[in-house]
Amino acid sequence: MIEKWPDLAGRIEGNTHVLPIRVYFEDTDCGGVVYHANFLKFCERARSDFIRLLGIDAKGLANPQAGEPAIFVVRHIEIDYLKPGRMDDVLEIVTTCAEIGSASLKLRQDVLRDGTLIVRAVVTVVLVAGSGKPQRLGALVRHALQRFVNQAGET
Protein backbone atom coordinates (compact mmCIF):
# COMPACT_ATOMS: atom_id res chain seq x y z
CA MET A 1 0.00 0.00 0.00
CA ILE A 2 2.93 2.38 0.53
CA GLU A 3 3.61 2.35 -3.24
CA LYS A 4 0.03 3.34 -4.06
CA TRP A 5 -0.11 6.04 -1.36
CA PRO A 6 3.51 7.11 -0.78
CA ASP A 7 2.53 10.08 1.39
CA LEU A 8 0.15 8.15 3.65
CA ALA A 9 2.85 7.91 6.34
CA GLY A 10 3.91 11.53 5.93
CA ARG A 11 7.38 12.44 4.74
CA ILE A 12 10.92 12.89 5.94
CA GLU A 13 12.10 16.48 5.39
CA GLY A 14 15.74 16.92 6.30
CA ASN A 15 16.01 15.98 9.97
CA THR A 16 12.27 15.88 10.67
CA HIS A 17 9.22 13.78 9.96
CA VAL A 18 6.08 15.65 8.90
CA LEU A 19 2.63 14.07 9.02
CA PRO A 20 -0.33 16.10 7.74
CA ILE A 21 -3.64 15.46 9.49
CA ARG A 22 -7.02 16.96 8.70
CA VAL A 23 -9.28 17.66 11.67
CA TYR A 24 -12.66 15.98 11.29
CA PHE A 25 -15.93 16.47 13.18
CA GLU A 26 -15.16 13.36 15.26
CA ASP A 27 -11.94 15.00 16.53
CA THR A 28 -13.73 17.98 18.03
CA ASP A 29 -15.92 18.84 20.98
CA CYS A 30 -19.36 20.43 20.67
CA GLY A 31 -17.72 23.81 19.99
CA GLY A 32 -15.76 22.53 16.99
CA VAL A 33 -12.45 22.66 18.88
CA VAL A 34 -10.07 19.67 18.84
CA TYR A 35 -10.54 17.68 22.03
CA HIS A 36 -7.26 17.80 23.97
CA ALA A 37 -6.73 14.01 24.04
CA ASN A 38 -6.93 13.83 20.26
CA PHE A 39 -3.66 15.73 19.99
CA LEU A 40 -2.09 12.75 21.80
CA LYS A 41 -3.59 10.46 19.15
CA PHE A 42 -2.27 12.66 16.34
CA CYS A 43 1.20 12.58 17.88
CA GLU A 44 1.03 8.79 18.31
CA ARG A 45 0.22 8.38 14.61
CA ALA A 46 3.13 10.63 13.69
CA ARG A 47 5.56 8.66 15.91
CA SER A 48 4.40 5.37 14.41
CA ASP A 49 4.75 6.63 10.85
CA PHE A 50 8.13 8.22 11.60
CA ILE A 51 9.45 4.84 12.79
CA ARG A 52 7.84 3.11 9.79
CA LEU A 53 9.48 5.47 7.27
CA LEU A 54 12.87 4.86 8.89
CA GLY A 55 12.52 1.18 8.02
CA ILE A 56 11.86 -0.01 11.57
CA ASP A 57 9.05 -2.55 11.57
CA ALA A 58 7.12 -2.18 14.84
CA LYS A 59 5.44 -5.53 14.20
CA GLY A 60 8.88 -7.07 13.69
CA LEU A 61 10.06 -5.75 17.05
CA ALA A 62 7.08 -7.49 18.65
CA ASN A 63 7.71 -10.72 16.70
CA PRO A 64 8.63 -13.54 19.09
CA GLN A 65 10.46 -15.48 16.32
CA ALA A 66 13.09 -12.72 16.28
CA GLY A 67 13.92 -13.25 19.96
CA GLU A 68 12.15 -11.77 22.94
CA PRO A 69 9.37 -9.51 21.66
CA ALA A 70 9.76 -5.81 22.30
CA ILE A 71 7.55 -2.76 21.82
CA PHE A 72 7.89 0.98 22.30
CA VAL A 73 5.78 2.28 25.19
CA VAL A 74 5.27 5.85 26.31
CA ARG A 75 6.99 6.58 29.61
CA HIS A 76 6.53 10.33 29.87
CA ILE A 77 4.77 13.14 28.02
CA GLU A 78 4.94 16.88 28.50
CA ILE A 79 2.42 18.74 26.39
CA ASP A 80 1.64 22.42 25.96
CA TYR A 81 -1.60 23.48 24.33
CA LEU A 82 -0.87 26.92 22.92
CA LYS A 83 -3.78 27.52 20.52
CA PRO A 84 -6.89 25.56 19.60
CA GLY A 85 -7.24 23.32 16.59
CA ARG A 86 -10.58 23.49 14.80
CA MET A 87 -12.68 21.38 12.49
CA ASP A 88 -11.34 21.28 8.90
CA ASP A 89 -7.87 22.54 9.92
CA VAL A 90 -4.97 20.82 8.21
CA LEU A 91 -2.36 20.27 10.87
CA GLU A 92 1.24 19.17 10.47
CA ILE A 93 2.78 17.05 13.18
CA VAL A 94 6.55 17.61 13.00
CA THR A 95 8.59 15.00 14.85
CA THR A 96 12.27 15.22 15.70
CA CYS A 97 14.47 13.00 17.85
CA ALA A 98 15.98 14.99 20.70
CA GLU A 99 17.86 12.17 22.48
CA ILE A 100 18.68 8.50 22.14
CA GLY A 101 19.25 6.65 25.41
CA SER A 102 20.27 3.05 25.97
CA ALA A 103 16.63 1.89 25.97
CA SER A 104 14.71 5.10 25.26
CA LEU A 105 14.02 7.86 22.77
CA LYS A 106 13.03 11.42 23.54
CA LEU A 107 11.01 12.93 20.72
CA ARG A 108 9.78 16.48 20.23
CA GLN A 109 6.50 16.82 18.38
CA ASP A 110 5.24 20.18 17.22
CA VAL A 111 1.71 20.53 15.88
CA LEU A 112 1.53 23.36 13.35
CA ARG A 113 -1.36 25.04 11.58
CA ASP A 114 -0.25 27.16 8.62
CA GLY A 115 3.25 27.29 10.10
CA THR A 116 2.02 28.45 13.52
CA LEU A 117 2.85 26.29 16.55
CA ILE A 118 -0.38 25.31 18.32
CA VAL A 119 0.74 22.31 20.44
CA ARG A 120 4.16 21.08 21.55
CA ALA A 121 4.77 17.65 23.06
CA VAL A 122 7.98 16.11 24.36
CA VAL A 123 7.58 12.35 24.55
CA THR A 124 9.87 9.72 26.03
CA VAL A 125 9.32 6.21 24.73
CA VAL A 126 11.07 3.11 26.06
CA LEU A 127 11.66 -0.20 24.29
CA VAL A 128 10.38 -2.94 26.59
CA ALA A 129 10.10 -6.72 26.39
CA GLY A 130 6.78 -8.47 26.76
CA SER A 131 7.69 -8.94 30.42
CA GLY A 132 7.93 -5.16 30.82
CA LYS A 133 11.72 -5.14 31.22
CA PRO A 134 13.49 -2.33 29.31
CA GLN A 135 15.50 -3.54 26.31
CA ARG A 136 18.59 -1.89 24.86
CA LEU A 137 18.00 -0.21 21.53
CA GLY A 138 19.50 -2.33 18.78
CA ALA A 139 21.83 -1.14 16.05
CA LEU A 140 18.98 -0.90 13.52
CA VAL A 141 16.98 1.55 15.63
CA ARG A 142 20.01 3.52 16.78
CA HIS A 143 21.44 3.84 13.26
CA ALA A 144 18.08 4.83 11.75
CA LEU A 145 17.57 7.64 14.28
CA GLN A 146 21.13 8.91 14.72
CA ARG A 147 20.91 11.57 12.00
CA PHE A 148 17.85 13.08 13.68
CA VAL A 149 19.38 13.51 17.15
CA ASN A 150 19.88 17.04 18.44
CA GLN A 151 18.94 18.58 15.12
CA ALA A 152 15.73 20.02 16.52
CA GLY A 153 17.35 22.53 18.83
CA GLU A 154 15.77 23.12 22.21
CA THR A 155 13.44 20.46 23.66
Side-chain angles (χ1 to χ4, degrees):
M1 186 169 290
I2 294 294
E3 297 79 33
K4 186 175 179 183
W5 299 100
D7 56 350
L8 186 62
R11 62 195 178 278
I12 301 289
E13 290 183 355
N15 297 316
T16 64
H17 173 259
V18 180
L19 179 68
I21 292 182
R22 180 175 302 281
V23 175
Y24 294 102
F25 180 76
E26 67 183 15
D27 300 317
T28 65
D29 61 19
C30 62
V33 174
V34 174
Y35 182 65
H36 73 279
N38 287 332
F39 284 108
L40 295 172
K41 292 179 181 183
F42 299 160
C43 288
E44 173 70 28
R45 290 179 203 160
R47 288 191 307 275
S48 295
D49 283 333
F50 178 43
I51 295 296
R52 178 179 291 112
L53 284 180
L54 292 177
I56 301 167
D57 179 17
K59 289 188 296 188
L61 287 174
N63 181 356
Q65 289 96 0
E68 186 171 8
I71 57 170
F72 282 108
V73 296
V74 173
R75 181 180 176 275
H76 182 79
I77 294 180
E78 294 175 28
I79 190 162
D80 289 318
Y81 300 97
L82 306 169
K83 297 183 181 201
R86 300 193 185 279
M87 191 165 51
D88 288 331
D89 282 352
V90 175
L91 306 176
E92 289 185 322
I93 292 70
V94 178
T95 303
T96 55
C97 186
E99 293 177 22
I100 299 176
S102 59
S104 65
L105 303 172
K106 187 179 214 179
L107 304 167
R108 186 175 87 186
Q109 296 189 278
D110 290 343
V111 181
L112 307 173
R113 180 185 52 234
D114 296 324
T116 299
L117 180 66
I118 65 169
V119 172
R120 171 164 288 161
V122 178
V123 183
T124 302
V125 295
V126 178
L127 187 66
V128 298
S131 64
K133 180 181 175 186
Q135 301 292 299
R136 292 185 76 73
L137 297 176
L140 172 68
V141 174
R142 191 170 296 284
H143 179 71
L145 288 164
Q146 194 62 47
R147 75 178 176 117
F148 295 91
V149 177
N150 297 326
Q151 301 299 319
E154 175 185 331
T155 57

